[in-house]
Amino acid sequence: MVNRDTIFSVIVILLSIGAYIYVGDLTIESRFFPQVVSVLLIIFNVIHLIKNVRPRERKKMFRNIRFDRLIAMAVGLIVYTSAMVYIGFVLSSLIFMIFYMWYLNEERKSNGARVLLKSAILSIFVVGVFYGIFHNLFMIPLPVGLIFGG
Amino acid sequence: MRKLKFVGLLAMVVLLSMALVVGCTGGQKADEGDKAKDQEQTAEKPDFPTKPITYIIPFNPGGQSDVEARRQQPLLEEALGTKINITYKAGGGGAVGWTELIHTKPDGYTIAGINIPHIILQPIARENAGYTTEQINPVAIFQGTPIGLAVLKDSPFNTLEDFINYAKENPGKITVGGSGTWSGHHIALLQLQELAGIELTYVPSSGAAPSVTQFLGGHTDALFANSNDLVTHKDKIKILALGSEERFEALSDVPTFKELGYEMTPSIDRGVAVPPGTPEEIKSILEDAFIQIMENEAVREQMIEQGFVPLKMDAKAAQEHINKKQKEYSQLLEDLGLPEEKK
Amino acid sequence: MAEFLQYFAGAMGHIFNLSNFLLMTLGVAAGIVVGCLPGLTATMALAVLVPFTFTMDPATGLMTLGGIYVGAIYGGCISAILINTPGTPSAIATTFDGYPLTKKGKGEHALVAAAYSSGVGGVIGAILLMFLAPLLVKVALKFGPPEYFWLATFGLTIIATLSAKSLLKGVIGGTLGLLIATIGLAPIGGEMRYTFGFYQLQAGIELIVALIGFFCVPEILSMVEEVVTEKKEIQKFKSQKGVAREVIVKLTKQPFLLIRSAIIGCFVGIVPGAGGNVAGLVSYNEAVRWSKEPEKFGTGVVEGVAASESSNNAEVGGSLVPLLTLGIPGAPPAAVLMGALMLQGMRPGPDLFVQHGDITYTFLISLVIANIVMFVLGFYGAKYVARLINLPASFLAPMIAFMTIIGSYSIRNNMLDVFIMVGMGLLGYILRKLDFHPGPIVLGMILGPIAEKGLVQSMMLARSQGSILEVFFTRPISIVLIILCLISAFWPMISEWNKKRRGESQGVSSNG
């Protein structure tokens, strides 16, 4: 009875109730649409909940995958983005790219140093090219990082 | 031996990366360092600008603020001797861009286009617009777009009087389009309602262009529109009145609200501002550059042809104008009890 | 007509002037490159490159800008096909069949199909623009608030087609998208919703940020989590001879597919505010409905790619209709073009054809040529571009991740967007594991604001005119749209029922 679909629906129902209440003090023009949508969401998820209350065969969610790499990448994205705020675009991108090109490469177990070098060169090249295109050609200022006074 | 190789490589990688980082971002720091030194030495005339200036447009590209900025860009670059980079930060009717502005360093290297009455109305109407009107530090106001009331050619109304009389007898029946809620058009409608004692139904859109399209398609009975839109479509519409101080060249046979007895001058004015705390000397260098543009004959002619009123307000005049309008509008809103108190 | 021929001759002179032609081609190429990078849109490409055109004379400048626009809209399909990330929102529907094709090793097929359909669609759109603009604009103006509402609702019924496996999940996804789109400034009420103190959210969640998050990040994670043994076989692109010929012949045998998609695209384009995002999706939906083998869509058929790409390039022509005839841009890139026109001293509007006829016609005809140039570039480039998929995941995954970060930042120069992108990415990954397709969610996000504006404005009109029923249900275009909604929403059910019926009668006769 408690499976991923039912948990999902319960969460969404709670969120929708919250959404409905949150816009409560706005004018009717502003809150009409979000409230209608919240109600619809609640209705659909109640149906979904009822449909999935009965246990049934489900594919394993994380069947046969390399969980360690998955988590590493997911966490990596979060750390990369957070780091960018402090140390700037170029540094955080370099660290991210070099690390993951090295980490994801199967050959690093046998030839670690070489893989690291390859990753470094490629990363510096890619980051350099993109920085050039975005900063100099499109004139989009990329984050400099708080610790550098950005 | 293996380990040593690894460490050596790692060190090389780190050094190479640092070189890249310094190369890309260090350039900027170096400039700032020089500038600080210069400022200390020559207190009278700061060495400004020494690097490109960012001109924030708080709206989408292609919009009127963008067109103006692009008109000014080559002239500014010449007057100031540096590159001008136009960047877009649209959102919240301009609020996102203005909030960014007040948080940037007040060193004169970031300026932003501003719009009156937006910068006045948004902080009043919203709990948290991200900025307050007082934080906007104006440098110049160079363009006015008086707002006019228009109906289609086949409408039964021929004068403002016809319109108002019908409205008096049929409160709420006339639908009037405009660019949005708490926009210059909305205020114009509120002012007209109060001064004429009538009730209209305002149908806001999300921008001037959609409101014009809807009106041309006959979906609203009337429209509050900017002078340039009125000029573009003048052969399809009848303009009942215009919110300029005096009659406007490009629409010379349109009476002003004032001359018809309604004390209102609704208009969307465009200017530029810098973050609060920008040093006066730097501000006046920017101001001079804009004054040059405002006096440029070619620019003035182009503006009039497209339906804009060229203005020439320097920093002081601009601030006075903003203060005046702020008093006018906050008084109006207070009288009407708007925005509604939250329950 | 005589006038037209006169202009035509002049236009030919401008277009086939060598430097103009080269610049236009360069524009198309630049547009393709920008379009294929997720995060950089056609609008941005135009905005950045407009200043370069100041120094050119009007005809040259316009030709170049037109080339960029055409190229960018096509370019979006490249990343859509190769990494399941629409490079521009107009290419969303291209991912539905484009990426599965790449996974089957048929990336080149998809790219050639996209190039060919984009070219055909674009040419049709440009021709419709040239000859029917004044007529089309009359139709566009008839779209008032109720029509926008029904158009958006029609768009939402496409969810029925996209959620082959579970209609309920699709509907939930779409509704979630609707809710997400309410974040920010209320379009009519003018008040802030769900911004929680973040001033950057006043503008709401940027569509492209959500696209990159929902479509791309889950793919990066899938790439990374794959078990080594399978990796060698998947995505290996083998260069085959004659792919291009095969695809073109296949598509040419189905002219209705391309023509219908182009017409849909052009019409959606003329309605200001509907935008290219919707054109591809509507056209895809129709392609599924009209096909004899609808189940194949979504598994990787070139027809899916063709439907989407043909219509989004035709939409370019459509978006220029209200711009050139009324001075009202039909889509954001058209708005930038309008700015460029005004700076050249040409005011778009009814006078444009009269006062600047020769330049205007030059521009229009150059659009046709630009589409052909784009087809050639895409066609020949397809083979080489498709090979990029062969790079190992250890390189591709970080590289694509890097591009998503830089792309989502560039939209509004806003770090919060990057965080939102990552957040949506992880959410999208989980949703995918729960069998929710990102298509309906994104559809909800795109159509939500259009539906809301239409709904609330219509209710305001009704308030003044007295009758809600009258406003929503008695207008001619609304009625047409309502019928389309009903057909589209119930189509999957009707076709199921039809199939069963056919199956039963056959069963009876074979037994009897």
Side-chain angles (χ1 to χ4, degrees):
Chain A
M1 195 179 119
V2 175
N3 54 55
R4 56 184 186 233
D5 285 312
T6 53
I7 296 178
F8 172 82
S9 284
V10 168
I11 295 179
V12 176
I13 291 176
L14 290 173
L15 264 174
S16 311
I17 297 177
Y20 186 95
I21 299 177
Y22 194 79
V23 285
D25 334 302
L26 300 182
T27 61
I28 182 70
E29 288 104 2
S30 302
R31 69 180 156 141
F32 182 70
F33 199 73
Q35 287 186 327
V36 167
V37 172
S38 308
V39 168
L40 284 175
L41 258 183
I42 295 176
I43 296 176
F44 294 140
N45 276 287
V46 166
I47 299 177
H48 189 245
L49 192 63
I50 296 175
K51 256 186 131 184
N52 283 289
V53 155
R54 239 170 303 139
R56 67 174 167 92
E57 265 309 314
R58 280 186 165 75
K59 288 189 296 188
K60 256 185 71 165
M61 225 164 107
F62 294 106
R63 61 183 161 84
N64 201 21
I65 57 162
R66 306 182 57 186
F67 208 67
D68 53 335
R69 287 173 33 131
L70 174 68
I71 296 294
M73 184 52 113
V75 168
L77 282 173
I78 301 175
V79 170
Y80 175 14
T81 314
S82 315
M84 210 178 353
V85 179
Y86 295 102
I87 61 176
F89 176 77
V90 175
L91 250 185
S92 55
S93 298
L94 278 174
I95 297 177
F96 177 81
M97 297 266 277
I98 296 179
F99 176 74
Y100 280 93
M101 282 200 203
W102 173 79
Y103 172 77
L104 292 172
N105 196 328
E106 302 300 339
E107 292 171 33
R108 67 179 159 98
K109 304 202 174 102
S110 50
N111 210 344
R114 208 183 129 108
V115 168
L116 188 65
L117 182 64
K118 231 169 83 165
S119 308
I121 296 180
L122 273 174
S123 304
I124 294 179
F125 179 67
V126 167
V127 174
V129 165
F130 272 83
Y131 183 83
I133 296 178
F134 277 73
H135 184 93
N136 298 317
L137 185 62
F138 292 129
M139 313 231 232
I140 295 174
L142 293 165
V144 174
L146 288 176
I147 67 175
F148 293 121
Chain B
M1 192 52 204
R2 241 347 197 358
K3 235 187 191 174
L4 208 63
K5 235 173 134 182
F6 190 81
V7 170
L9 250 91
L10 198 62
M12 212 164 65
V13 165
V14 171
L15 281 170
L16 268 171
S17 329
M18 290 190 75
L20 184 69
V21 171
V22 171
C24 292
T25 54
Q28 260 180 339
K29 297 268 327 291
D31 282 328
E32 279 170 52
D34 284 331
K35 189 164 75 70
K37 248 195 286 170
D38 275 322
Q39 269 188 324
E40 280 168 32
Q41 290 168 352
T42 58
E44 279 84 30
K45 196 143 193 303
D47 191 12
F48 171 88
T50 57
K51 59 182 175 124
I53 295 181
T54 307
Y55 190 161
I56 296 179
I57 304 291
F59 296 100
N60 284 312
Q64 194 40 47
S65 302
D66 184 27
V67 171
E68 272 327 301
R70 298 224 179 255
R71 227 203 291 271
Q72 297 162 340
Q73 194 179 21
L75 301 168
L76 278 175
E77 286 181 343
E78 213 190 293
L80 293 168
T82 184
K83 263 197 127 257
I84 308 282
N85 292 337
I86 297 183
T87 59
Y88 304 97
K89 287 217 187 241
V96 173
W98 293 317
T99 310
E100 283 279 333
L101 176 72
I102 62 166
H103 286 127
T104 44
K105 240 192 294 194
D107 55 8
Y109 286 100
T110 310
I111 63 179
I114 56 173
N115 298 51
I116 296 108
H118 303 57
I119 60 170
I120 298 172
L121 294 174
Q122 286 171 358
I124 298 179
R126 300 181 196 171
E127 238 169 74
N128 178 20
Y131 68 96
T132 63
T133 314
E134 291 72 22
Q135 287 173 310
I136 304 289
N137 191 351
V139 168
I141 293 183
F142 44 76
Q143 186 182 77
T145 324
I147 296 173
L149 180 64
V151 292
L152 287 174
K153 265 255 146 64
D154 56 6
S155 158
F157 308 128
N158 286 318
T159 65
L160 187 61
E161 278 312 303
D162 295 341
F163 183 84
I164 292 181
N165 288 337
Y166 186 87
K168 284 205 176 122
E169 317 206 340
N170 302 279
K173 267 224 108 207
I174 305 183
T175 53
V176 186
S179 62
T181 310
W182 307 125
S183 69
H185 299 176
H186 190 188
I187 290 290
L189 180 122
L190 292 172
Q191 278 186 316
L192 184 64
Q193 283 185 153
E194 224 209 337
L195 291 171
I198 56 178
E199 198 187 308
L200 304 164
T201 298
Y202 183 51
V203 183
S205 291
S206 50
S211 68
V212 173
T213 316
Q214 252 181 10
F215 165 71
L216 289 174
H219 304 287
T220 56
D221 301 318
L223 176 73
F224 272 109
N226 298 339
S227 53
N228 58 309
D229 287 324
L230 293 171
V231 167
T232 309
H233 299 287
K234 64 177 181 218
D235 40 344
K236 295 192 208 77
I237 60 179
K238 288 187 280 197
I239 310 172
L240 301 178
L242 192 63
S244 41
E245 291 277 351
E246 297 159 353
R247 290 223 176 175
F248 179 39
E249 274 174 64
L251 295 168
S252 50
D253 45 350
V254 175
T256 66
F257 281 104
K258 270 177 103 161
E259 70 182 65
L260 292 174
Y262 299 99
E263 198 57 37
M264 52 189 265
T265 51
S267 168
I268 309 251
D269 307 316
R270 294 193 177 81
V272 272
V274 284
T278 307
E280 279 306 313
E281 318 84 62
I282 295 189
K283 211 170 116 176
S284 78
I285 295 181
L286 288 169
E287 191 185 13
D288 289 334
F290 276 98
I291 290 181
Q292 263 183 51
I293 297 177
M294 295 190 280
E295 292 178 338
N296 182 315
E297 264 313 304
V299 168
R300 295 176 69 93
E301 267 171 38
Q302 248 195 355
M303 279 205 211
I304 295 181
E305 203 195 307
Q306 290 170 350
F308 301 102
V309 176
L311 294 175
K312 207 180 97 164
M313 293 191 212
D314 62 12
K316 191 151 157 280
Q319 185 67 64
E320 277 169 18
H321 181 73
I322 294 177
N323 293 342
K324 178 174 127 202
K325 283 293 177 184
Q326 187 177 28
K327 259 190 49 209
E328 186 185 327
Y329 295 144
S330 44
Q331 187 64 57
L332 173 70
L333 290 175
E334 220 182 278
D335 289 343
L336 294 173
L338 293 172
E340 285 155 24
E341 280 304 312
K342 306 273 195 264
K343 291 163 240 136
Chain C
M1 193 56 193
E3 223 177 62
F4 173 72
L5 288 172
Q6 194 190 7
Y7 285 135
F8 189 79
M12 283 291 136
H14 280 195
I15 295 177
F16 291 107
N17 165 322
L18 188 63
S19 67
N20 284 357
F21 192 78
L22 277 176
L23 277 170
M24 180 180 81
T25 307
L26 208 64
V28 175
I32 296 181
V33 168
V34 171
C36 81
L37 291 173
L40 295 182
T41 58
T43 314
M44 245 194 250
L46 286 168
V48 168
L49 296 169
V50 154
F52 289 101
T53 61
F54 285 167
T55 51
M56 309 177 195
D57 68 84
T60 317
L62 283 177
M63 277 174 65
T64 313
L65 290 173
I68 296 172
Y69 191 5
V70 167
I73 297 289
Y74 163 68
C77 81
I78 298 181
S79 53
I81 291 172
L82 295 180
I83 55 175
N84 199 44
T85 309
T88 58
S90 50
I92 294 176
T94 313
T95 64
F96 299 155
D97 273 287
Y99 189 60
L101 275 168
T102 303
K103 294 244 269 249
K104 290 204 279 197
K106 292 185 163 183
E108 193 186 343
H109 288 75
L111 287 169
V112 172
Y116 184 59
S117 345
S118 292
V120 171
V123 167
I124 296 180
I127 293 181
L128 284 174
L129 164 68
M130 214 178 342
F131 292 111
L132 293 182
L135 203 66
L136 290 174
V137 89
K138 284 205 177 68
V139 176
L141 284 180
K142 290 250 178 299
F143 271 74
E147 283 75 26
Y148 275 91
F149 173 70
W150 289 118
L151 183 64
T153 312
F154 172 55
L156 287 170
T157 58
I158 297 177
I159 294 177
T161 312
L162 293 181
S163 11
K165 289 193 211 135
S166 166
L167 184 60
L168 184 59
K169 289 205 159 145
V171 167
I172 291 180
T175 321
L176 257 176
L178 288 178
L179 191 62
I180 296 177
T182 60
I183 297 178
L185 192 61
I188 305 298
E191 291 171 289
M192 287 303 151
R193 301 188 292 210
Y194 307 121
T195 54
F196 301 114
F198 287 101
Y199 74 83
Q200 298 97 325
L201 282 180
Q202 281 181 78
I205 301 219
E206 181 66 43
L207 177 66
I208 304 179
V209 168
L211 280 181
I212 298 179
F214 280 127
F215 282 83
C216 193
V217 173
E219 281 318 310
I220 299 177
L221 293 175
S222 299
M223 226 190 273
V224 161
E225 72 185 11
E226 254 159 20
V227 181
V228 185
T229 49
E230 295 173 41
K231 190 185 73 145
K232 296 278 162 65
E233 299 317 311
I234 295 178
Q235 293 175 342
K236 207 54 176 185
F237 165 71
K238 275 189 275 271
S239 175
Q240 298 163 7
K241 277 216 154 78
V243 165
R245 238 158 293 265
E246 177 192 325
V247 168
I248 293 186
V249 165
K250 191 169 192 200
L251 288 176
T252 318
K253 283 209 187 125
Q254 306 179 53
F256 282 124
L257 172 69
L258 291 176
I259 297 178
R260 179 188 60 232
S261 305
I263 294 182
I264 292 176
C266 191
F267 268 85
V268 172
I270 61 177
V271 180
N277 316 343
V278 185
L281 291 157
V282 174
S283 162
Y284 183 84
N285 188 42
E286 292 306 303
V288 171
R289 283 209 299 121
W290 288 79
S291 153
K292 298 196 185 76
E293 304 173 294
E295 354 40 82
K296 287 228 183 130
F297 279 83
T299 63
V301 289
V302 289
E303 284 83 352
V305 173
S308 170
E309 284 300 308
S310 169
S311 83
N312 68 29
N313 271 70
E315 189 262 341
V316 170
S319 72
L320 293 172
V321 165
L323 174 67
L324 295 179
T325 54
L326 285 181
I328 295 170
V336 181
L337 270 173
M338 178 164 96
L341 278 171
M342 286 179 60
L343 283 165
Q344 292 273 12
M346 296 166 63
R347 201 158 14 97
D351 295 333
L352 191 67
F353 285 84
V354 171
Q355 283 177 354
H356 301 276
D358 64 333
I359 300 184
T360 312
Y361 274 106
T362 305
F363 175 57
L364 293 173
I365 299 177
S366 79
L367 276 180
V368 176
I369 311 285
N371 274 294
I372 300 179
V373 169
M374 171 210 77
F375 163 63
V376 169
L377 287 176
F379 180 77
Y380 283 108
K383 216 190 292 274
Y384 304 102
V385 172
R387 267 181 233 247
L388 289 174
I389 284 306
N390 284 348
L391 296 166
S394 63
F395 175 72
L396 272 185
M399 170 81 177
I400 297 175
F402 169 69
M403 277 177 23
T404 63
I405 303 279
I406 200 177
S408 51
Y409 178 78
S410 315
I411 318 251
R412 305 195 283 197
N413 293 345
N414 193 336
M415 245 349 261
L416 184 65
D417 282 343
V418 186
F419 281 102
I420 294 178
M421 188 275 297
V422 173
M424 295 202 133
L426 298 172
L427 181 67
Y429 177 79
I430 297 175
L431 285 176
R432 207 181 283 197
K433 291 287 176 187
L434 293 173
D435 286 324
F436 284 90
H437 190 293
I441 304 178
V442 162
L443 201 57
M445 284 183 70
I446 297 174
L447 294 171
I450 302 178
E452 175 173 11
K453 268 185 264 187
L455 182 66
V456 180
Q457 281 180 331
S458 302
M459 294 184 75
M460 291 174 123
L461 286 177
R463 217 194 293 168
S464 100
Q465 263 143 30
S467 162
I468 292 192
L469 281 169
E470 204 187 295
V471 164
F472 276 105
F473 295 101
T474 60
R475 295 156 63 119
I477 300 192
S478 291
I479 295 179
V480 170
L481 287 170
I482 296 175
I483 296 178
L484 280 173
C485 283
L486 292 170
I487 296 180
S488 181
F490 292 112
W491 186 259
M493 274 183 243
I494 299 177
S495 67
E496 275 293 308
W497 181 68
N498 255 345
K499 249 199 261 172
K500 282 207 192 102
R501 205 163 49 107
R502 250 181 272 143
E504 274 169 20
S505 59
Q506 278 180 347
V508 166
S509 54
S510 65
N511 277 348

